Amino acid sequence: MPLGVPKVPFRSPGEEDATWVDLNRLHRERLLFLGQEVEGEISNQIVGLMVYLSLEDNTRDLYLFINSPGGLVMPGIAIYDTMQFVIPEVHTICIGLAASMGSFILVGGEITKRLAFPHAMLYQFIRVMIHQPASSFYRSQTGEFVLEVEELLRLRETLTKVYVQRTGNPLWVVSEDMERDVFMSATEAQAHGIVDLVGI
């Protein structure tokens, strides 16, 4: 095994003692992790694992654990679209922070199977944040800038429609929430329809 591959204790059902296994073993158990900013490489890895595990056995659910400060829109949409595409239901579990694209992926889990734990660390609440997409191409020429703005508006409309559909909130509520950063505890996220359950 290459140096740096993380190992975690894992106990199979029926066994008394846990053994140290690499994360690939957890993937075989259908447990996936988004524990960083959403970008192309991690998005491709998660998408590939979801498709592979779906082809391997489409009768077993997938579990995506999220602790992410957000990240790039298109890689996040790729994860979301794959979650909707694969046959197994995808449970989303917020275990820390689900901000921006992290909250978009969280809300994309199978409805009734989206969960947030009440504490990321002792005395700290899980935080879920939503906001509108942003651009990093603000220094381009005017014509390109107009095209960029049009694309951002299309992306914002897409994201807004997904939040409306997945949360059950009216368009005006989601649109208003996306105008600014909105931080929520796990309980507030449940009331807002982003998650269905708050863990114990």
Side-chain angles (χ1 to χ4, degrees), residues 60-178:
R60 294 176 58 204
D61 290 353
L62 301 171
Y63 299 83
L64 178 58
F65 291 84
I66 301 167
N67 183 16
S68 175
L72 301 176
V73 173
M74 295 315 295
I77 289 175
I79 294 172
Y80 172 85
D81 284 345
T82 305
M83 291 165 60
Q84 308 314 306
F85 170 75
V86 295
I87 294 170
E89 294 179 345
V90 180
H91 300 242
T92 50
I93 303 108
C94 179
I95 55 173
L97 177 67
S100 191
M101 261 299 119
S103 73
F104 184 76
I105 294 166
L106 178 64
V107 81
E110 185 68 28
I111 293 176
T112 73
K113 298 183 178 180
R114 303 170 299 184
L115 178 128
F117 285 111
H119 306 95
M121 296 177 145
L122 196 58
Y123 306 119
Q124 292 184 357
F125 291 106
I126 295 281
R127 292 294 181 207
V128 177
M129 182 183 78
I130 64 175
H131 65 85
Q132 62 185 316
S135 171
S136 60
F137 299 108
Y138 57 88
R139 293 185 183 157
S140 60
Q141 296 176 0
T142 305
E144 292 171 8
F145 181 77
V146 170
L147 292 174
E148 177 80 16
V149 169
E150 289 173 359
E151 183 59 23
L152 277 174
L153 291 173
R154 276 193 292 274
L155 281 173
R156 180 182 178 176
E157 183 180 351
T158 298
L159 298 176
T160 303
K161 284 180 181 178
V162 168
Y163 276 113
V164 166
Q165 175 193 15
R166 310 283 306 174
T167 65
N169 287 321
L171 177 64
W172 69 269
V173 170
V174 173
S175 295
E176 191 174 284
D177 286 343
M178 290 181 72

